[in-house]
């Protein structure tokens, strides 16, 4: 089991309570919507307008004992970027930041995406530690470190015009 999986509480209700950002009613509504929503929990909570993304991610980072980062303030390690295929970076909307002592620090705005963590762990053969970061900061970093074409590639993938998995096969 990865270190990340061990840090995520089984009870999302308890986790949302720990943030102190939501009323009991808001938590109940969010969890019932999340069961049928196509959006990840963080995206759904931000879209609801109850709390700004940055504040939510800062509080989740505290509750999950993860760092919160502003990627724009830090340089990204080239070696870390090279460990993760570009396809995986865009598929999971992440930014590899640093690799130290067999652990890869990855910026994400979805701490609950355990499939992403496992995928990155298998590809890099490293432990994966998450740092929470806003979607806007991730988008800026992707554009900066992966180029202008990265934005087009991401848009094509989102519109299902381009299927990276089919191309890889």
């Amino acid at each position: 089991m990865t270190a990340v999986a061990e840090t995520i509480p089984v009870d999302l209700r308890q986790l949302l309570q720990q943030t102190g950002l939501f009323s009991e009613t808001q938590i109940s509504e969010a969890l019932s919507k999340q069961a049928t929503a196509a959006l990840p929990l963080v995206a759904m909570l931000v879209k609801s307008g109850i709390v700004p993304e940055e504040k939510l991610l800062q509080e989740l980072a505290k509750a999950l004992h993860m760092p919160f980062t502003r990627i724009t303030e830090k340089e990204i390690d080239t070696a870390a970027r090279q460990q993760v295929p570009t396809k995986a970076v865009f598929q999971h909307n992440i930014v590899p930041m640093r690799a130290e002592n067999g652990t890869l620090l990855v910026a994400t705005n979805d701490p609950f995406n355990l499939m992403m963590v496992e995928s990155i762990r298998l590809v890099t053969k490293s432990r994966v530690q998450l740092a929470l970061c806003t979607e806007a900061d991730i988008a800026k970093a992707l554009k900066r470190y992966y180029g202008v074409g990265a934005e087009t590639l991401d848009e094509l993938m989102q519109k299902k015009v381009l299927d990276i998995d089919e191309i890889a096969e």
Side-chain angles (χ1 to χ4, degrees):
M1 183 173 267
T2 64
V4 172
E6 292 167 2
T7 63
I8 296 178
V10 177
D11 188 355
L12 287 176
R13 176 177 299 281
Q14 178 186 2
L15 177 66
L16 293 175
Q17 287 169 340
Q18 284 178 348
T19 67
L21 298 172
F22 307 99
S23 69
E24 282 300 320
T25 305
Q26 289 170 325
I27 292 171
S28 294
E29 287 174 7
L31 292 176
S32 65
K33 283 181 190 174
Q34 202 266 330
T36 58
L39 289 174
L41 179 62
V42 171
M44 189 190 70
L45 290 169
V46 170
K47 189 176 178 183
S48 74
I50 298 169
V51 64
E53 180 186 28
E54 185 170 343
K55 181 70 175 162
L56 174 62
L57 291 174
Q58 287 172 340
E59 293 304 319
L60 283 174
K62 286 180 200 170
L64 294 169
H65 308 290
M66 294 177 181
F68 175 83
T69 187
R70 299 298 307 252
I71 296 178
T72 55
E73 297 170 3
K74 297 179 179 167
E75 283 303 311
I76 306 300
D77 181 29
T78 303
R81 278 193 4 244
Q82 292 172 345
Q83 283 187 26
V84 182
T86 304
K87 168 187 150 185
V89 168
F90 284 96
Q91 182 179 11
H92 299 297
N93 197 36
I94 59 168
V95 178
M97 295 178 63
R98 272 190 317 278
E100 294 173 350
N101 303 322
T103 300
L104 181 67
L105 180 65
V106 175
T108 182
N109 69 337
D110 184 4
F112 307 114
N113 188 346
L114 298 181
M115 285 182 21
M116 172 270 294
V117 173
E118 189 62 15
S119 169
I120 301 304
R121 187 185 68 76
L122 289 171
V123 167
T124 63
K125 296 177 179 40
S126 300
R127 287 187 321 236
V128 176
Q129 179 185 358
L130 299 181
L132 299 187
C133 181
T134 64
E135 191 167 4
D137 282 353
I138 290 172
K140 286 179 198 169
L142 290 176
K143 190 172 183 179
R144 178 177 179 189
Y145 293 103
Y146 292 88
V148 175
E151 192 173 78
T152 306
L153 178 66
D154 192 37
E155 286 175 14
L156 290 172
M157 284 175 56
Q158 287 179 358
K159 293 177 183 175
K160 305 286 188 220
V161 172
L162 178 63
D163 187 341
I164 296 294
D165 293 326
E166 284 181 15
I167 292 170
E169 288 173 12

